[in-house]
Amino acid sequence: MQKKDDIVKIYDDMFNLIGAEKWSVVHEQGLLHQVVHLWMYGDEADERWLYFIQRSKDLDVFPGLYDLPVSGHIDPEETFSHAVVTLTKERLGLKLLPEYLKHVGNIRQIIDSDNYHDNAFCQIYVKRLELPIPEFEIHGAEMLFKARYDEFCQWVECPKGKLPIYTPTGEFIKDSVEADWWWPRKNEFTTVVKPYIDEQH
């Protein structure tokens, strides 16, 4: 879990490194920084699934929202892939090898919500889960769940209908119907993640 005193690198609008600052200051002032995002999918019985978490309800930022399984800042001495590996181990209990992570692109993310200002350059990774689906050890989140890929693709374009969600082992949880329950990731998914996953067979 990100701590307010954690230090992250900051950049100017030309993406030149200009220093480092505390996490709390970065989001109070909307300073440009870099983060990593990990999307996870898997193919089971001729169906493709995407994996998500429900964020902890104790978080100061977007508590309880549905989000990517792994996202976070990068320590000043870390590489992007090392940050993904570290965060995945901490939050899901999975040990990934950097060479099996796929960096699929990046995107600028700007979110302003009350006193929280997120001005981030997101390095986006995708991981395909192989069968059997691993056992997860969830830390700092309410739950891990999955949704059918085709249903999510349709829902993200028009998030007004039902999107059934399931446990990692396939048990039905509920129909997720509120767009406000989700962290806004539509642009990232449709422009970067979906084109990559659609090419995988």
Side-chain angles (χ1 to χ4, degrees):
M1 185 178 298
Q2 207 75 43
K3 298 178 181 178
K4 292 186 176 182
D5 288 337
D6 286 351
I7 301 297
V8 296
K9 293 178 179 178
I10 56 174
Y11 302 80
D12 64 18
D13 285 338
M14 299 299 293
F15 297 103
N16 297 308
L17 179 64
I18 58 174
E21 190 52 87
K22 290 181 180 180
W23 179 93
S24 56
V25 175
V26 165
H27 288 291
E28 287 168 4
Q29 299 182 12
L31 302 177
L32 179 60
H33 60 292
Q34 300 211 63
V35 299
V36 291
H37 289 172
L38 177 64
W39 293 74
M40 296 170 57
Y41 77 98
D43 295 319
E44 306 170 46
D46 298 325
E47 286 195 288
R48 180 161 284 176
W49 300 83
L50 283 172
Y51 288 78
F52 301 95
I53 61 163
Q54 181 181 19
R55 293 164 61 85
S56 171
K57 296 177 181 178
D58 296 328
L59 293 175
D60 294 332
V61 179
F62 301 120
L65 292 194
Y66 297 167
D67 198 5
L68 307 180
V70 177
S71 62
H73 295 98
I74 304 158
D75 289 342
E77 303 306 318
E78 280 188 312
T79 63
F80 300 143
S81 60
H82 185 262
V84 174
V85 169
T86 300
L87 291 168
T88 303
K89 179 63 176 177
E90 290 176 352
R91 299 179 184 182
L92 301 181
L94 295 183
K95 184 177 180 181
L96 303 180
L97 296 175
E99 56 266 32
Y100 293 108
L101 290 171
K102 180 64 178 178
H103 182 265
V104 296
N106 46 58
I107 196 168
R108 183 79 173 267
Q109 172 179 279
I110 299 177
I111 299 174
D112 290 304
S113 177
D114 298 325
N115 294 322
Y116 176 81
H117 308 285
D118 192 22
N119 180 14
F121 195 56
C122 308
Q123 302 295 336
I124 304 168
Y125 287 79
V126 172
K127 172 62 180 175
R128 179 176 183 171
L129 297 178
E130 303 292 343
L131 293 175
I133 299 300
E135 294 185 8
F136 298 93
E137 298 175 6
I138 310 304
H139 302 282
E142 298 295 320
M143 67 172 175
L144 178 78
F145 64 93
K146 66 183 181 181
R148 288 186 175 89
Y149 179 75
D150 290 343
E151 292 178 345
F152 181 81
C153 291
Q154 295 173 6
W155 179 85
V156 78
E157 291 296 336
C158 186
K160 295 180 180 179
K162 294 180 179 180
L163 176 65
I165 61 175
Y166 301 81
T167 68
T169 53
E171 289 81 19
F172 175 76
I173 299 175
K174 61 182 176 181
D175 288 320
S176 167
V177 296
E178 299 292 335
D180 291 344
W181 293 354
W182 291 79
W183 183 296
R185 306 286 191 196
K186 177 182 177 180
N187 191 37
E188 177 177 341
F189 177 74
T190 58
T191 62
V192 181
V193 177
K194 185 177 184 297
Y196 170 77
I197 293 179
D198 284 348
E199 292 180 353
Q200 311 308 306
H201 301 287

